[in-house]
Amino acid sequence: MEVSSVPTENELFSAVDALLEEVAQDDLPSPEERKRLREAAGLSQEQIAKALKSRRETIGNWESGVTEPRPPKRAAYARLLEGLAARFPAPAPAVPEAFTGPAPAPVAVPPSRPKTAASSTTRPAASSRRPGAKKAAAKKTTSAATADPRFENGPLAVIDCEDGQVSAYCVGGLVLDVPAKSIPALVDWTLTEAKLGQARLHRNGRDADPILVLTASALERYGLPATLSQEEQRAGRLAAGHKVIKQIEKAGLQLTQRGFGPWARVYRDPEGSKRRCVQLCVLPWNALDAREWDKKDDPQLPTMHPADLARYLGLYAARVMTPRGSTATTGLELMTALRPPTRAEKDPDTGEFKRAFNDDALTAVYDVVECEVPDEHPILKGKFARHHLRTPAEMLMEEPYDWCRPLTDEECANPYLVVIDLNMSFAAAANGLTVGLNGPTHLTSNPKFDPALPGSWLVDLSHVDLSRVQVGGRTVDGDRLPSPFTPKGDRPEGPAWYATPTVAYAVELGFDVAPIEAYVRTQTGRYLDPWYKRLRDAYVETMADMGVTTDLTGSEFLEAMARRKQVDPTMALLETAIKATAKGAIGKLRQRSRGQVPYYEPYPALNRETWRPDIRAAVLANQRISLHRKLMKTAAAADLYPVAIGTDAIVYPSPGPSPLDVLPHTPEGKPAPSTFRLGISPGMVKHQGTQTVLWAEQQFEEHGGVFNIANLIKTDQTAGEGE
């Protein structure tokens, strides 16, 4: 007689795992959702690869859809994603890659509005209030299971009025009829019925307020002026006695201290922890500055169809974040959204939740350091005579390069000057950079330099001689390169304040440094890493939409860059906005007074935790140092020296008009290691323009000497804008 054996626990678990593997064959989220879940949890591809005993490249392929996980790792990966999905609900539906008109409705909306005549669009019967009305369905790019029902209509809407009918154009082609007859009613409709907004980018952050973009016709419909008066423009807001302001007050709504300006916040008191705020973006009042959001020489937004505008801003919201004002303001807000200063923490004794500070964020306004602040800062009041120009020994002067030198006779034999431009150079410089998160500690009495401590160091680097330097066994003529220690490229003349990356580079080059004093931060972290990654992904994805991908060869890349703006003009605008976001945010870390208050009086920006001039200085120093390092490698590899540098644009003499004629390559045709490389990723270079050497000599003669020609050489007039 057979005796049935009792299965062991391991056998049962193995059987269950086998079932899970079978079930997991078809239940994985989309590749985009896999990536979102990982980033929402703050996990890296390396961490997941280590847990699943895989390679990082494998995880990347799963997230891009190149390959699919196979048993037994598929079941484990599915279990991980299921757990993450439970903890991090999906944000609003992703924006489609191309606008295809509104979703099914009685009459379609045209994709673009003619500049010479008004659009003759018939509105779909899609109202969230009108009895019996049918709401148009947006085209979704994510499954209903992953969509956040609170924000199912996307992060924003463009409000437009035609033939007396007000419509809200949302992302994905959705158009809603708006029943509101006043600004207060419009705000309440948005809060209660529109289902607009964007889920938080970090589990400890907050959801983004919905944005309503008001067109000129919407302003007329709601009794707002087409333009602000000169006095209102100076104040940056609508006059307090305007009838719309009175309507807002009468309805029990409130405005922030900024008032009703180009970017206005209208809100009701929160319900518990739920915010009730709507942000208004007034397009005719220059809310979307053409220098950041548009073509400054040929503005497109004023005549863009509302559906196209919703697509453009919706893509920006999906890839960067919901706009908060200027691109610089949005970029700064993105830092906070990805590194929230506080979180809710449960008190083990009372069981109640209380506010706790996050160790990896900027959580307070700390004391400032005299050498790090701009001239108008209150701390400098009475320190210097009026109109005194502070010296490098009195002020931290970490800025990008602005340098030019005369061409040698040998260089003049080349017919061309080719300019290459670093992609997203400030964002790339922020990647992996250790910055200070707390207040300064003053070190005196000749402290020892520590490259692990971010801050400002008073040190004499005038002894550093780079005239003949060995790089990779080859001698580099440092006299034909700018000094890495000053923005103008001059050799330092004595003690000066430097950020940690600059002093660390002097040590890297083999020179002794002896700081006199320093202000350092002891709590450190890579605060800007998630900010960089978010902008990098947004930029690379947008360029790919225009046919510029990361796998192109040199000639293919140059051709794709030349035709990209014709592929999709809206994506070209998005490219400009993303670059301006990266550059502007770094600048805002040391925002200067805009004349709101008298000199030496406190101004509003100083009250922000993100007013951190030391972090800005570290990023700019790292950008300049990284550039100099590549200049040295390029000179060593090909005896190639620049003649001018403007921020991130480098001018090289060349025998031909293309970067391929000048950038060094190996015998196999690949870019020389550690030199400049053509490509779209941040830190790689693109072609900014080409001019003749004769043209440069004429410019020098006209200006009575050598001046910086780097940013004058632009084949593409938008090259180098933003970053």
Side-chain angles (χ1 to χ4, degrees):
M1 185 175 73
E2 284 185 61
V3 179
S4 60
S5 60
V6 178
T8 66
E9 184 177 77
N10 286 338
E11 289 173 339
L12 292 174
F13 281 3
S14 297
V16 170
D17 286 340
L19 288 175
L20 285 174
E21 289 169 13
E22 292 180 14
V23 174
Q25 298 305 305
D26 300 310
D27 66 349
L28 289 179
S30 66
E32 296 81 5
E33 179 64 1
R34 301 169 198 174
K35 179 180 178 182
R36 186 197 71 79
L37 289 171
R38 175 181 59 77
E39 292 180 341
L43 297 174
S44 66
Q45 291 180 346
E46 288 84 355
Q47 289 174 293
I48 294 181
K50 184 177 180 181
L52 298 180
K53 303 296 189 293
S54 295
R55 298 185 304 120
R56 183 196 64 78
E57 292 78 5
T58 301
I59 306 301
N61 288 338
W62 293 352
E63 291 183 353
S64 62
V66 174
T67 60
E68 287 292 313
R70 302 177 63 182
K73 294 177 181 178
R74 186 180 181 93
Y77 189 49
R79 183 177 297 179
L80 170 66
L81 295 176
E82 181 181 3
L84 294 179
R87 294 187 61 186
F88 308 105
V95 181
E97 296 301 318
F99 176 71
T100 57
V107 180
V109 178
S112 61
R113 168 178 292 171
K115 296 184 179 182
T116 57
S119 173
S120 58
T121 303
T122 302
R123 308 300 179 181
S127 170
S128 56
R129 282 192 178 178
R130 186 175 300 164
K134 203 173 191 179
K135 187 168 75 172
K139 180 181 177 182
K140 306 294 183 182
T141 58
T142 57
S143 67
T146 60
D148 191 324
R150 298 173 301 160
F151 312 126
E152 67 177 36
N153 293 335
L156 52 87
V158 179
I159 308 299
D160 190 61
C161 180
E162 189 168 326
D163 299 329
Q165 173 61 54
V166 181
S167 298
Y169 291 80
C170 306
V171 298
L174 174 65
V175 183
L176 300 175
D177 282 350
V178 180
K181 292 181 170 56
S182 67
I183 289 294
L186 179 64
V187 170
D188 284 336
W189 172 80
T190 305
L191 292 173
T192 57
E193 301 182 42
K195 294 188 176 181
L196 296 173
Q198 187 177 38
R200 64 197 66 186
L201 299 180
H202 188 283
R203 61 182 180 273
N204 294 324
R206 64 176 177 85
D207 299 328
D209 298 325
I211 299 282
L212 299 181
V213 182
L214 304 182
T215 64
S217 62
L219 294 190
E220 182 180 0
R221 173 65 180 81
Y222 289 118
L224 289 164
T227 58
L228 296 175
S229 66
Q230 289 187 354
E231 184 177 345
E232 289 171 334
Q233 289 178 11
R234 285 193 295 269
R237 66 186 70 186
L238 198 63
H242 194 277
K243 65 177 182 179
V244 172
I245 303 295
K246 293 179 179 178
Q247 289 174 357
I248 291 172
E249 294 171 348
K250 186 176 180 180
L253 292 162
Q254 302 176 62
L255 289 163
T256 60
Q257 291 183 352
R258 294 173 61 180
F260 202 119
W263 287 90
R265 288 186 181 274
V266 189
Y267 66 96
R268 293 192 182 277
D269 291 333
E271 288 182 343
S273 60
K274 181 181 177 182
R275 286 170 58 90
R276 295 191 296 170
C277 180
V278 175
Q279 189 161 7
L280 304 178
C281 169
V282 187
L283 192 61
W285 296 357
N286 199 36
L288 300 176
D289 193 311
R291 294 170 296 180
E292 304 171 347
W293 299 97
D294 204 351
K295 293 181 179 179
K296 63 182 181 182
D297 298 325
D298 182 22
Q300 305 295 303
L301 299 187
T303 56
M304 184 179 285
H305 190 276
D308 291 329
L309 182 57
R311 177 205 174 208
Y312 168 34
L313 297 178
L315 281 167
Y316 181 91
R319 296 179 182 180
V320 181
M321 71 179 302
T322 301
R324 302 289 180 86
S326 67
T327 53
T329 296
T330 304
L332 198 68
E333 291 282 346
L334 181 63
M335 294 181 190
T336 303
L338 295 170
R339 294 283 201 195
T342 61
R343 68 183 187 278
E345 187 174 80
K346 192 173 184 179
D347 189 318
D349 297 327
T350 64
E352 296 181 354
F353 283 92
K354 60 181 182 180
R355 187 177 69 165
F357 292 101
N358 293 319
D359 293 335
D360 61 356
L362 302 176
T363 59
V365 178
Y366 294 103
D367 293 337
V368 297
V369 176
E370 286 186 17
C371 68
E372 295 175 349
V373 301
D375 293 336
E376 68 272 19
H377 195 280
I379 198 175
L380 298 179
K381 188 174 184 178
K383 300 286 185 180
F384 302 104
R386 188 168 179 81
H387 305 304
H388 171 75
L389 295 178
R390 287 193 286 168
T391 66
E394 298 167 336
M395 181 182 183
L396 180 65
M397 296 183 179
E398 295 287 15
E399 301 291 341
Y401 272 127
D402 180 11
W403 169 82
C404 189
R405 66 169 176 82
L407 279 71
T408 65
D409 292 341
E410 182 182 357
E411 290 168 341
C412 287
N414 289 284
Y416 296 103
L417 294 176
V418 171
V419 185
I420 55 175
D421 176 73
L422 286 166
N423 297 321
M424 301 275 285
S425 66
F426 293 159
N431 182 32
L433 180 65
T434 299
V435 301
L437 301 178
N438 62 344
T441 297
H442 192 193
L443 305 181
T444 58
S445 304
N446 302 314
K448 182 180 179 181
F449 174 68
D450 186 348
L453 289 178
S456 303
W457 304 79
L458 181 62
V459 59
D460 189 349
L461 298 180
S462 60
H463 65 285
V464 177
D465 184 5
L466 298 179
S467 58
R468 306 295 287 176
V469 183
Q470 290 288 320
V471 178
R474 297 186 180 183
T475 301
V476 171
D477 183 2
D479 290 336
R480 294 163 69 187
L481 292 174
S483 167
F485 308 123
T486 62
K488 291 294 184 181
D490 302 325
R491 184 169 174 173
E493 297 179 351
W497 286 100
Y498 301 100
T500 297
T502 302
V503 185
Y505 188 54
V507 175
E508 176 186 326
L509 293 172
F511 296 92
D512 294 328
V513 296
I516 301 168
E517 61 175 312
Y519 290 92
V520 299
R521 278 79 181 175
T522 54
Q523 181 186 345
T524 65
R526 290 165 57 162
Y527 174 74
L528 296 172
D529 274 10
W531 176 84
Y532 160 75
K533 292 174 182 176
R534 179 84 175 176
L535 290 173
R536 174 203 62 193
D537 292 348
Y539 179 67
V540 171
E541 185 176 359
T542 299
M543 298 304 290
D545 287 338
M546 292 186 285
V548 188
T549 56
T550 56
D551 58 349
L552 299 178
T553 64
S555 57
E556 292 172 340
F557 170 73
L558 293 175
E559 292 171 3
M561 285 293 292
R563 64 173 181 265
R564 74 187 191 283
K565 294 183 184 296
Q566 286 69 48
V567 172
D568 191 334
T570 300
M571 288 297 174
L573 296 182
L574 186 58
E575 174 197 349
T576 299
I578 292 170
K579 292 191 293 185
T581 301
K583 181 179 180 181
I586 297 301
K588 260 196 172 299
L589 290 169
R590 196 196 69 158
Q591 182 176 328
R592 305 193 66 172
S593 173
R594 299 172 181 170
Q596 311 105 307
V597 297
Y599 220 66
Y600 296 131
E601 292 298 319
Y603 51 95
L606 303 182
N607 297 322
R608 294 196 319 251
E609 292 88 349
T610 50
W611 195 84
R612 290 295 299 268
D614 58 301
I615 296 180
R616 172 189 178 271
V619 172
L620 297 190
N622 201 40
Q623 187 265 358
R624 196 182 64 250
I625 293 306
S626 298
L627 175 53
H628 190 273
R629 190 180 288 113
K630 284 197 174 183
L631 295 174
M632 296 269 280
K633 296 283 187 179
T634 303
D639 195 32
L640 186 64
Y641 295 86
V643 297
I645 305 174
T647 305
D648 48 17
I650 307 104
V651 184
Y652 277 113
S654 172
S658 168
L660 297 175
D661 297 319
V662 64
L663 294 179
H665 288 74
T666 64
E668 295 77 23
K670 296 182 178 181
S674 301
T675 63
F676 296 108
R677 180 175 181 177
L678 288 171
I680 202 55
S681 298
M684 299 175 76
V685 299
K686 57 182 178 290
H687 184 208
Q688 175 168 300
T690 298
Q691 265 293 358
T692 64
V693 170
L694 178 60
W695 170 88
E697 293 296 338
Q698 291 174 342
Q699 295 296 316
F700 294 153
E701 288 183 12
E702 290 178 10
H703 291 80
V706 176
F707 83 112
N708 199 341
I709 58 174
N711 290 320
L712 295 180
I713 305 175
K714 290 184 180 181
T715 302
D716 178 357
Q717 290 302 311
T718 61
E721 287 186 357
E723 277 204 58

